[in-house]
Amino acid sequence: MRGQVYVFGVLLLGCLAPRPGRSQVAPGATGSSNRYWVAFCDKAPLGPRAARCLSPAALARRRAQGLPLLEATDLPVRPAYVAAVRAHVDTLTVVSRWLNGAACRATPAQAAALRQLPGVAEVRAWPLAQRLLPARYKAGSDKVNQGRETKTSPTASWPGPAVSAAAASAASPAAAASRAAFVSPADYLLARQQTAALGRAELRRAGLAGKGVRVAVFDVGFRGLDRHPAFAGLFREGRVAGTYDFLKNRPDVFLGGAHGTEVMGCLAGRLPGPDSLRPGPALGLAPAATYLLARTEGLASERFSEEEAWLRAAEWADQQGADIISSSLAYTEQRYFPEQMDGRHSLVGRAATLAARKGMLVVSAAGNDGDDDWVRIGTPADADSVLAVGGLDPATGLHVSFSSVGPSADRRLKPDLSAFGIVLTTTAGGGYERVEGTSFAAPLVAGLAACARQAAGRALPAMQLYRQLREAGELFPYYDYAHGYGRPGAGRLLARQRGPVPTPEPTFDFVTHDSLVAVVLRPAATLPPARPLPLLADDDELSVEAASWLRPTEEAARPPGSPTPTRASVAPVGQEQAAPADAAPALPPYPSYPARLYWHLASARGVLRRYEVRAATQRLVLQLPRRLARGGDVLRVYYQGYTGTYSE
């Protein structure tokens, strides 16, 4: 794990998911109710029953990675401490074994009384308790009626009309098949390229699909996922190992929001196959993984209780033996300032860091604020041990405008990697839809991580897997604050797991003259590279007859590789809607993105002063004043697999 691990207090009510409770108000308590955090002094010593707090899968993960099977942060909070707090407050909202504390709502008088209780180390004011509207919320864009969200646009996929279980179960297979038919050829090509761009072919040849790996998915809800044909095999084979709604404290996560259904499509969803026994091509890279589904986010509002729910879900995922956490949520200007995006100020950032310490790889969406005033990444993507994933335009292979950029507040590289930010995925109604947002880039990379975990075995430490994924980026060791290390590739990742990789041949030279330094491409690097055969050569491609559900459409006539039009303001992470129906990416035949030259100027600490991507239309691509590469500053350039540096 890079940097310093920050650990704050610790606790949990029991070995299972904690349930917040209510108690009677202490006599004499007056005043308005506020939110407080109560930190405890200690825990009970390790005993023979302590191991029961973790499942066999959790113990196996720790044993394989050489981690302590039990430590203080794993032990439950002393029940006497929790009972004493419960008796003195209005509401106990969360109890955390990791942080050895509890969040509660209490009056100032009750808070003063809590400070006098045995075992209480500190009582401090907790962030705002009232409901806050989402960032860039527009009045009338989402209507909330008795807890149910309704769409104002027929193309929006979230939030959608709530569907009762009874009504959904009454839907006929014919109706589901009809809904599934609405996939255009352009969207089908997008579905194939969103996984091909990360090395689907290499994973298929290696027989890797995430089998045996446990992936926990934290999201708004998974409405319709249990009835969607794309996940029939997941449920038939019993690979949904656990579900829990940490806002309503119940196991059912298949009501409420549908954003999680869209995210799961980018992990384990499938397109329709020839018949019910032969599934179609996968929309993600981990269709064989086992999943834990947690609802941690509410609908149409952002509350601090959702960060508490994320903490509880992370502790639950640890107990259930999760190997990877995929989180398509981000918290930004609703409760934080830009200078707090360092992974240490937010509760969810600290929880993610502790999850990584427990041996789980945490993959998080970078955020959708790249084209608004906030611009930068959100939390928990800002934490130093979290793999933050930005978005790429599938048509150009470059940063898509809505994807949040780095660095973190303490000037660390963020995002770490990038994947397609416009994808085809599953919807709550049983069909498929094109959506946009970094919420969908993150699960694509999480699926690749699951395959890497399967290939390396459970003995590979989570932070070593984190480093391998970053080093598998197509730009590594070059980086910038828009792309991170670029798209991770399965071929590069598997090669690094097998051993040292050969040093690439130089593709350019630094040429100095007078006061300038120039970057000049070598002649061999200007020749067109060899291209693979078209996608139809893939062994999992459907025949024309098997893909009869494709819907012929008249696509917008834009040249291949043209930037994809996106919404003027993409919704925050966790609340993305369908992409504009008339703005399908004008995809080139993969992977024929033109060769581009990336360059940046970095300080001695690696903090970027400037970065840019240039089209390589001639051998002389870049000229800069030599004085810019003095005083410890470094000019770093990437072109076609080779990274060179220049400094004076």
Side-chain angles (χ1 to χ4, degrees), residues 228-239 287:
H228 201 298
F231 304 102
L234 199 65
F235 287 92
R236 182 173 61 249
E237 298 167 12
R239 288 188 287 107

Side-chain angles (χ1 to χ4, degrees), residues 359-567:
M360 293 179 285
L361 176 72
V362 182
V363 183
S364 175
N368 297 339
D369 296 292
D371 55 0
D372 66 18
D373 292 340
W374 180 266
V375 179
R376 57 185 46 80
I377 59 168
T379 188
D382 60 337
D384 71 342
S385 303
V386 170
L387 196 71
V389 183
L392 300 175
D393 184 341
T396 65
L398 298 174
H399 172 261
V400 66
S401 61
F402 60 75
S403 180
S404 296
V405 299
S408 64
D410 52 353
R411 315 303 287 176
R412 286 177 289 104
L413 171 63
K414 291 291 175 177
D416 299 278
L417 296 168
S418 299
F420 282 9
I422 303 172
V423 303
L424 184 75
T425 190
T426 49
T427 66
Y432 301 85
E433 194 167 47
R434 186 173 66 254
V435 293
E436 54 190 25
T438 57
S439 284
F440 314 109
L444 288 174
V445 173
L448 175 61
C451 295
R453 167 63 71 194
Q454 178 189 356
R458 303 194 78 179
L460 182 70
M463 291 312 299
Q464 188 172 337
L465 176 58
Y466 168 92
R467 288 189 292 271
Q468 287 183 353
L469 284 162
R470 296 178 92 201
E471 293 172 2
E474 64 174 336
L475 304 180
F476 184 86
Y478 176 90
Y479 59 91
D480 63 38
Y481 296 148
H483 305 90
Y485 289 116
R487 277 182 298 132
R492 293 184 294 270
L493 179 58
L494 297 177
R496 289 184 178 276
Q497 288 188 341
R498 289 191 291 267
V501 296
T503 303
E505 291 293 326
T507 56
F508 58 86
D509 296 293
F510 294 103
V511 179
T512 59
H513 50 88
D514 297 331
S515 62
L516 297 176
V517 56
V519 176
V520 180
L521 303 183
R522 294 190 174 186
T526 63
L527 299 176
R531 301 295 185 191
L533 294 175
L535 285 174
L536 288 176
D538 289 358
D539 58 0
D540 63 338
E541 201 68 47
L542 292 176
S543 65
V544 175
E545 295 77 12
S548 58
W549 39 266
L550 284 175
R551 172 172 56 96
T553 57
E554 294 183 4
E555 303 294 342
R558 295 196 313 277
S562 302
T564 305
T566 61
R567 293 184 181 276

Side-chain angles (χ1 to χ4, degrees), residues 93-182:
T93 58
V94 66
V95 180
S96 169
R97 61 190 171 97
W98 283 1
L99 302 181
N100 196 22
C104 64
R105 292 187 177 93
T107 65
Q110 291 171 333
L114 290 176
R115 294 185 176 94
Q116 308 305 316
L117 292 177
V120 173
E122 181 186 14
V123 178
R124 61 180 179 271
W126 204 230
L128 296 175
Q130 67 266 29
R131 295 169 67 89
L132 302 176
L133 294 177
R136 303 188 307 285
Y137 180 88
K138 295 179 178 62
S141 63
D142 295 307
K143 299 179 181 179
V144 182
N145 181 22
Q146 297 179 350
R148 291 187 176 185
E149 279 62 39
T150 60
K151 289 190 271 187
T152 59
S153 166
T155 62
S157 61
W158 188 94
V163 181
S164 68
S169 62
S172 66
S178 175
R179 287 192 298 269
F182 293 100

Side-chain angles (χ1 to χ4, degrees), residues 51-338:
R52 296 183 182 180
C53 289
L54 299 175
S55 68
L59 293 173
R61 183 194 69 231
R62 296 188 181 193
R63 188 178 294 109
Q65 295 188 32
L67 298 172
L69 296 184
L70 280 173
E71 51 187 2
T73 52
D74 299 317
L75 299 178
V77 180
R78 288 182 182 269
Y81 292 170
V82 177
V85 171
R86 192 189 302 272
H88 284 77
V89 302
D90 295 339
T91 306
L92 192 67
T93 58
V94 66
V95 180
S96 169
R97 61 190 171 97
W98 283 1
L99 302 181
N100 196 22
C104 64
R105 292 187 177 93
T107 65
Q110 291 171 333
L114 290 176
R115 294 185 176 94
Q116 308 305 316
L117 292 177
V120 173
E122 181 186 14
V123 178
R124 61 180 179 271
W126 204 230
L128 296 175
Q130 67 266 29
R131 295 169 67 89
L132 302 176
L133 294 177
R136 303 188 307 285
Y137 180 88
K138 295 179 178 62
S141 63
D142 295 307
K143 299 179 181 179
V144 182
N145 181 22
Q146 297 179 350
R148 291 187 176 185
E149 279 62 39
T150 60
K151 289 190 271 187
T152 59
S153 166
T155 62
S157 61
W158 188 94
V163 181
S164 68
S169 62
S172 66
S178 175
R179 287 192 298 269
F182 293 100
V183 176
S184 70
D187 284 344
Y188 177 76
L189 182 61
L190 174 62
R192 303 303 285 143
Q193 291 197 13
Q194 68 195 37
T195 52
L198 300 180
R200 179 190 70 241
E202 290 89 344
L203 294 176
R204 283 187 62 83
R205 285 194 292 269
L208 300 174
K211 185 176 182 180
V213 179
R214 288 198 165 202
V215 181
V217 183
F218 299 174
D219 217 287
V220 171
F222 303 86
R223 187 175 77 238
L225 185 142
D226 54 337
R227 300 179 300 274
H228 201 298
F231 304 102
L234 199 65
F235 287 92
R236 182 173 61 249
E237 298 167 12
R239 288 188 287 107
V240 177
T243 61
Y244 202 80
D245 183 335
F246 287 91
L247 296 178
K248 295 186 178 296
N249 297 297
R250 63 187 186 188
D252 188 359
V253 298
F254 302 116
L255 300 174
H259 186 265
T261 304
E262 297 167 352
V263 167
M264 276 294 293
C266 296
L267 276 162
R270 288 186 177 276
L271 291 167
D275 52 56
S276 60
L277 298 179
R278 290 179 292 173
L283 294 169
L285 295 175
T290 299
Y291 290 91
L292 300 162
L293 308 181
R295 180 174 181 251
T296 65
E297 184 87 355
L299 292 170
S301 68
E302 298 286 352
R303 296 166 291 170
F304 194 82
S305 60
E306 292 162 348
E307 290 197 51
E308 296 174 353
W310 202 103
L311 167 63
R312 295 173 61 205
E315 295 185 3
W316 171 76
D318 175 37
Q319 291 172 319
Q320 301 300 315
D323 299 293
I324 297 168
I325 292 175
S326 178
S327 174
S328 290
L329 305 167
Y331 303 101
T332 56
E333 60 190 345
Q334 299 159 20
R335 59 183 73 111
Y336 297 112
F337 294 105

